[in-house]
Amino acid sequence: MTIDRYANRFVCDLVAYEPGKPIDETARELGLDPAQIVKVASNENPLGPSPLAKSAMREAMEEAHIYPDGGGYKLRSAIADTFGLDRSNIVLGNGSNEIIELLCHTFLNRDAELIAAKHAFVVYKLMATLFGAKYVEVPDPGFIHDLAAMADAITPETRLVFIANPNNPTGTMVGQEAIDRFMDRLPEHAIAVFDEAYYEFPDNPPDTLKYVREGRNACVLRTFSKIHGLAALRVGYGVAPAHLAELLQKARQPFNVNAIAQAGALAAIADADHMEKTRQLNRAGLAFYEDSFRARGLEFVPSHANFILVRTGEGDRVFRDMLKQGVIVRAMSGYKLPDWVRISIGTQAQNQRCLEVLDAVMTAAASV
Ligand SMILES: *Cc1c(COP(=O)(O)O)cnc(C)c1O
């Protein structure tokens, strides 16, 4: 008998999150030079970090012996300013993933329910499991969140409804009208969580911050990991009415966002140039993949984000075969999509290489 049987049952039930395969690990396993490997598996920014963020971080290193500002004064103020909100509306997280956890800490228990779409970001389900709550999964025909069905699924026990917009891994987006109608139906005992990790990529994303301004039960999640190219720093934030933000603040660790990350993020906010370059590169890359998939008769899901879901058949095999040639994509069997892979948009050279390798492994399979 081991200590395991005394462990929290909800932890035992968890299936750990499987991240994109790291470059170094792949290089070790294949005996390749890490520099030859193309990783298009985690929706990272192919242009790298914002250059302004890099120099701010170098400077911040000099003060690494001092604890960070646990209140995140400068960063929260700067974020609030960009939205015309108050600092009291902003909660910083160790990635926006941590805000998801703080929401669950604050509102979930064994009697509570969390609602999400069938092909939504998998972390919602992990968190619901961890807190012993009921995870309610709503079908998403055409891979698009069905907000009317999600509103129908709300019960007196519902506390959190997650709307990932654009969603990962599908890249689909729901529009303003559907969101407005959903918010009309949201009862006072539930919170709409708009996970907007890819908010900066689409041309006309819906406005959900208006619900925060109106003091509704809404929490908007954003991150520095995607458009700003700072995934390694682990910094994201939640935007919520002050009384809700205050609750989330209580649930976090005192120094949850480190000082280097705060400095980098603060500089990145001002780097409009890097954001615009990222958007342009992404737009071109999406068009490249969509044209290429169309030409090959491959089914894909039109994307509003910085990745694209494509139906290759045998996603696990395609992932493994591409890996052997040094291209890391993401298999989707964990998302109940065993026939699909998700490809993050890279530089033009990375996109071309990825497509060549995809062609090669699909041709090889067809000729067996
Ligand atoms: C990438 C992503 C996040 C953000 O992750 P971080 O913890 O901020 O790096 C959140 N939600 C979705 C849907 C994502 O794809």
Side-chain angles (χ1 to χ4, degrees):
M1 208 67 83
T2 66
I3 193 71
D4 300 22
R5 71 195 186 97
Y6 296 100
N8 184 328
R9 168 163 71 84
F10 303 128
V11 174
C12 300
D13 288 350
L14 269 183
V15 180
Y17 179 77
E18 199 176 326
K21 201 166 169 67
I23 291 177
D24 280 346
E25 183 181 310
T26 307
R28 269 197 308 277
E29 288 174 8
L30 298 175
L32 291 175
D33 174 3
Q36 295 173 328
I37 292 174
V38 170
K39 182 186 179 207
V40 282
S42 300
N43 307 339
E44 292 146 339
N45 190 325
L47 293 178
S50 145
L52 296 187
K54 284 202 276 189
S55 65
M57 289 190 282
R58 275 190 210 101
E59 210 167 299
M61 278 196 315
E62 300 298 327
E63 299 289 316
H65 59 300
I66 310 280
Y67 275 98
D69 174 6
Y73 183 93
K74 284 187 191 159
L75 181 55
R76 285 169 63 221
S77 302
I79 293 167
D81 285 350
T82 61
F83 303 134
L85 285 162
D86 189 76
R87 191 172 59 254
S88 60
N89 296 119
I90 312 298
V91 190
L92 301 181
N94 198 264
S96 56
N97 264 290
E98 192 189 15
I99 310 293
I100 299 172
E101 185 171 358
L102 298 181
L103 282 160
C104 294
H105 256 303
T106 308
F107 291 101
L108 295 190
N109 53 52
R110 288 167 207 206
D111 302 317
E113 297 179 7
L114 179 158
I115 296 176
K118 181 171 180 196
H119 298 101
F121 190 42
V122 74
V123 171
Y124 314 142
K125 186 175 191 174
L126 297 184
M127 287 297 144
T129 308
L130 186 59
F131 289 90
K134 183 173 170 194
Y135 182 74
V136 178
E137 192 175 274
V138 177
D140 50 0
F143 296 126
I144 299 170
H145 279 45
D146 182 346
L147 293 191
M150 290 175 81
D152 289 341
I154 294 174
T155 75
E157 273 59 64
T158 303
R159 294 294 171 267
L160 301 171
V161 185
F162 276 85
I163 298 165
N165 208 35
N167 180 44
N168 172 18
T170 60
T172 55
M173 184 167 78
V174 284
Q176 190 75 54
E177 218 186 291
I179 290 173
D180 289 346
R181 266 182 275 136
F182 175 84
M183 288 303 289
D184 286 342
R185 296 181 58 193
L186 188 73
E188 51 84 28
H189 59 75
I191 299 168
V193 183
F194 297 100
D195 185 344
E196 300 181 349
Y198 305 96
Y199 176 83
E200 297 85 357
F201 290 98
D203 284 330
N204 288 303
D207 175 22
T208 49
L209 289 176
K210 70 175 175 179
Y211 293 114
V212 174
R213 290 193 184 93
E214 291 169 5
R216 299 288 309 278
N217 290 344
C219 182
V220 178
L221 311 185
R222 303 266 176 93
T223 180
F224 288 90
S225 297
K226 311 284 160 57
I227 191 89
H228 298 289
L230 298 173
L233 292 190
R234 313 306 305 125
V235 50
Y237 55 95
V239 190
H243 65 95
L244 172 53
E246 216 165 286
L247 279 175
L248 302 181
Q249 298 284 13
K250 289 187 189 181
R252 68 175 177 84
Q253 293 277 330
F255 302 110
N256 62 331
V257 180
N258 73 71
I260 315 284
Q262 289 190 38
L266 184 63
I269 291 176
D271 199 342
D273 185 47
H274 188 258
M275 288 174 70
E276 190 46 41
K277 280 182 183 145
T278 303
R279 258 192 296 268
Q280 278 175 19
L281 183 70
N282 190 65
R283 219 172 278 138
L286 275 176
F288 167 80
Y289 276 119
E290 293 188 356
D291 290 346
S292 306
F293 294 155
R294 245 181 237 118
R296 287 158 177 74
L298 285 175
E299 189 183 347
F300 63 91
V301 183
S303 172
H304 295 273
N306 65 346
F307 53 84
I308 189 161
L309 198 57
V310 58
R311 186 173 206 160
T312 58
E314 305 176 282
D316 287 323
R317 180 195 67 80
V318 168
F319 161 75
R320 279 194 309 272
D321 288 353
M322 290 183 76
L323 190 68
K324 285 180 205 148
Q325 302 199 43
V327 176
I328 314 173
V329 297
R330 193 71 155 264
M332 287 285 115
S333 43
Y335 279 91
K336 300 175 286 268
L337 297 167
D339 284 345
W340 300 71
V341 298
R342 191 195 67 195
I343 300 172
S344 305
I345 308 304
T347 60
Q348 231 167 332
Q350 288 175 325
N351 299 340
Q352 245 139 26
R353 165 105 184 272
C354 178
L355 188 70
E356 273 166 32
V357 169
L358 178 67
D359 278 342
V361 310
M362 295 203 43
T363 312
S367 63
V368 171

